[in-house]
């Protein structure tokens, strides 16, 4: 899996960065999930290797403009390109009205099946390979963070051992791979779990929405391999940040430390910060959580 940051700015775009959008690429085939879709996200798509036709799902954290104003343009351009693959949007209450009204009032439409699901805290999606849960954030409007978790992968089936013990190949091998019991024609009962190697632990990612400090953050990010958290303002501006439902560099780093995250990617920087300020923001984060990196537009991180 890879995370590609299409926008890393807060509130409004700047010359250095666009507003928020993060793409999660699920496999080498390029299937992509998008987390938030700020204004001009489709422009950012054209400047990187991501393909709109591979976009399967969009998860919206909240309805502030810097997180959703890119949706109408992306959806209609996807249609104009003749893409027929279905797309699902998940987001807080109101996302359905926003998208449908924007399309209707502009005389726009989609050529592909579009599903819009309004969410609450809890399980949002589970396809057996990945599951997504939503966690309530501490913002000035309803807002969620998303935890994306791979299911553990079962260990390899010890086929040579089965062969040595006289278990013939057959369709029951698929059941054995799932750790199930099968009864052979000679009456033997074979327990697949006895022939499986150790399972591979699935990876977990936490992608925060906009938030001031909240206890929910520690459960959302507990022991994740990669945590993405907003750092809208520097530590000295804590009161201003928290009063507007945002976090500082030090507050984001403390969440990563206390939650047991392995890595922190800081993003969602105020437009007051230019390139010359980024080393200072990074140093603040790393003073608490050394394994911190700063996102930048078009940066790609392996999970």
């Amino acid at each position: 899996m890879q995370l590609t940051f299409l926008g890393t700015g807060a509130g409004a775009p700047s010359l250095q960065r666009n507003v928020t959008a993060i793409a999660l690429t699920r496999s080498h085939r390029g299937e992509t999930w998008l987390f938030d879709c700020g204004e001009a996200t489709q422009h950012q798509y054209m400047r990187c290797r991501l393909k709109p036709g591979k976009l399967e799902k969009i998860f919206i954290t909240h309805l502030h403009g810097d997180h959703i104003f890119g949706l109408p343009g992306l959806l209609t351009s996807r249609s104009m390109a003749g893409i027929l693959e279905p797309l699902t949007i998940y987001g807080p209450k109101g996302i359905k009205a926003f998208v449908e009204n924007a399309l209707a009032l502009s005389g726009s439409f989609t050529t592909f099946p579009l599903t819009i699901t309004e969410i609450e805290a809890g399980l949002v999606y589970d396809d057996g390979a990945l599951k997504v849960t939503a966690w309530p954030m501490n913002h000035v409007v309803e807002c969620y963070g998303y935890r994306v978790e791979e299911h553990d992968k079962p260990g390899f089936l010890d086929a040579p051992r089965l062969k040595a013990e006289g278990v013939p190949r057959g369709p029951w091998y698929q059941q054995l791979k799932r750790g199930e019991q099968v009864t052979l024609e000679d009456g033997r009962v074979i327990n697949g779990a006895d022939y499986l190697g150790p399972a591979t632990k699935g990876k977990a990612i936490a992608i925060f929405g906009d938030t001031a400090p909240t206890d929910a953050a520690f459960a959302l990010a507990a022991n994740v391999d990669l945590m993405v958290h907003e750092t809208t303002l520097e530590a000295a501006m804590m009161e201003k940040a928290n009063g507007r439902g945002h976090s500082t560099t030090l507050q984001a780093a403390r969440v990563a430390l206390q939650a047991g995250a392995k890595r922190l990617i800081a993003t969602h920087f105020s437009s007051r910060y230019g390139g010359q300020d980024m080393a200072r923001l990074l140093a603040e984060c790393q003073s608490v959580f050394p394994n911190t990196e700063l996102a930048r537009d078009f940066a790609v991180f392996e999970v």
Side-chain angles (χ1 to χ4, degrees):
M1 293 193 294
Q2 290 182 334
L3 283 182
T4 301
F5 285 79
L6 297 175
T8 56
S14 69
L15 293 176
Q16 290 78 33
R17 59 186 76 94
N18 199 48
V19 284
T20 300
I22 306 170
L24 171 64
T25 305
R26 297 184 54 185
S27 78
H28 68 278
R29 293 185 298 274
E31 299 98 331
T32 303
W33 293 354
L34 190 63
F35 291 82
D36 285 330
C37 187
E39 179 183 353
T41 292
Q42 64 169 321
H43 292 244
Q44 302 294 83
Y45 251 88
M46 291 187 285
R47 295 182 174 96
C48 68
R49 295 182 177 182
L50 298 174
K51 304 299 181 185
K54 295 289 187 178
L55 179 58
E56 299 176 334
K57 300 184 183 298
I58 302 176
F59 296 88
I60 299 298
T61 60
H62 65 293
L63 302 187
H64 276 160
D66 57 326
H67 294 255
I68 64 169
F69 282 170
L71 278 172
L74 179 64
L75 295 176
T76 52
S77 292
R78 195 174 186 268
S79 292
M80 292 175 69
I83 296 168
L84 302 178
E85 298 302 318
L87 178 65
T88 303
I89 299 174
Y90 302 87
K93 185 177 180 180
I95 188 62
K96 186 177 179 69
F98 171 78
V99 172
E100 291 181 346
N101 287 336
L103 295 178
L105 292 172
S106 63
S108 304
F109 57 90
T110 60
T111 57
F112 51 85
L114 176 64
T115 303
I116 304 174
T117 301
E118 296 189 333
I119 66 168
E120 297 178 344
L123 182 65
V124 172
Y125 176 78
D126 190 342
D127 65 2
L130 288 175
K131 73 174 182 178
V132 181
T133 49
W135 296 76
M137 299 285 92
N138 180 14
H139 198 41
V140 294
V141 297
E142 183 180 7
C143 182
Y144 295 97
Y146 292 102
R147 183 181 174 104
V148 183
E149 297 174 274
E150 288 183 320
H151 287 274
D152 293 346
K153 297 179 178 65
F156 289 105
L157 186 67
D158 192 344
R161 181 183 162 201
L162 287 167
K163 181 179 179 181
E165 294 182 9
V167 178
R169 283 190 170 274
W172 47 83
Y173 261 48
Q174 294 302 317
Q175 294 173 263
L176 295 176
K177 287 180 181 178
R178 294 192 295 267
E180 300 172 2
Q181 286 188 348
V182 299
T183 301
L184 302 179
E185 293 178 355
D186 60 10
R188 284 184 294 164
V189 176
I190 307 297
N191 185 359
D194 295 336
Y195 295 85
L196 291 178
T200 301
K201 179 68 175 174
K203 294 183 178 181
I205 309 166
I207 299 177
F208 280 72
D210 290 4
T211 188
T214 173
D215 289 342
F218 304 113
L220 167 58
N223 303 310
V224 294
D225 296 277
L226 182 65
M227 170 182 148
V228 179
H229 198 291
E230 65 130 296
T231 52
T232 304
L233 293 170
E234 61 195 284
M237 302 185 72
M238 180 181 68
E239 185 175 348
K240 183 174 183 178
N242 295 170
R244 297 181 177 180
H246 293 294
S247 295
T248 68
T249 49
L250 293 185
Q251 289 172 328
R254 287 176 188 137
V255 171
L257 181 65
Q258 295 177 36
K262 296 181 176 66
R263 298 167 64 195
L264 167 62
I265 309 297
T267 188
H268 198 267
F269 308 109
S270 168
S271 58
R272 71 177 59 233
Y273 300 117
Q276 71 279 5
D277 301 305
M278 304 315 289
R280 176 166 55 87
L281 299 182
L282 178 61
E284 288 189 353
C285 291
Q286 290 181 335
S287 70
V288 173
F289 191 78
N291 199 16
T292 301
E293 299 170 79
L294 298 189
R296 64 186 187 281
D297 285 21
F298 306 114
V300 178
F301 296 90
E302 296 287 339
V303 180

